[in-house]
Amino acid sequence: QVQLVESGGGLVQPGGSLRLSCAASGIIFSVHPMAWYRQAPGKQLELVARISSGGNTYYADSVKGRFSISRDNAKNTGYLQMNSLKPEYTAVYYCNVPRYGYEYWGQGTQVTVSS
């Protein structure tokens, strides 16, 4: 079955960095786009960044210049490098892979930006 497993979240001070990983199994990862979403307490799910199978990227305005999405198809893994973190980026971050009309999600990883 398809599984997406996120890792790399944690507590970081404002201005710090984190790198999230999303390990995929049960799919041919290289042929599908993938995305990172986040959900802050009391707020709606928000698209953070997306990368196509060909490597084209999209970023939400709020993270442009701070976040970088990438993928290593040989490792079936996607990444989200987050730099210059702000407290308002505190949220649960989810990996997403749309595949043939169905959306697959990871379990989420908590990112807390606080001093």
Side-chain angles (χ1 to χ4, degrees), residues 29 70-79:
F29 180 69
S70 62
R71 62 193 301 159
D72 185 338
N73 291 330
K75 295 183 178 179
N76 281 358
T77 301
Y79 303 97

Side-chain angles (χ1 to χ4, degrees), residues 6-22 34-39 46-50 58-60 62-70 78-95 108-114:
E6 299 102 334
S7 60
L11 173 64
V12 63
Q13 292 188 339
S17 297
L18 282 175
R19 187 195 196 201
L20 305 184
S21 298
C22 173
M34 69 154 290
W36 288 95
Y37 287 76
R38 66 186 177 191
Q39 188 165 29
E46 173 190 21
L47 173 63
V48 174
R50 183 172 58 226
Y58 163 86
Y59 297 94
S62 58
V63 305
K64 277 182 184 175
R66 297 175 183 266
F67 289 12
S68 177
I69 188 171
S70 62
Y79 303 97
L80 185 67
Q81 178 67 45
M82 306 187 295
N83 299 325
S84 303
L85 286 163
K86 302 182 192 180
E88 53 261 46
Y89 293 163
T90 294
V92 179
Y93 284 71
Y94 297 92
C95 173
T109 185
Q110 175 71 46
V111 172
T112 302
V113 185
S114 174

Side-chain angles (χ1 to χ4, degrees), residues 24-36:
S25 60
I27 59 172
I28 303 175
F29 180 69
S30 61
V31 304
H32 303 292
M34 69 154 290
W36 288 95

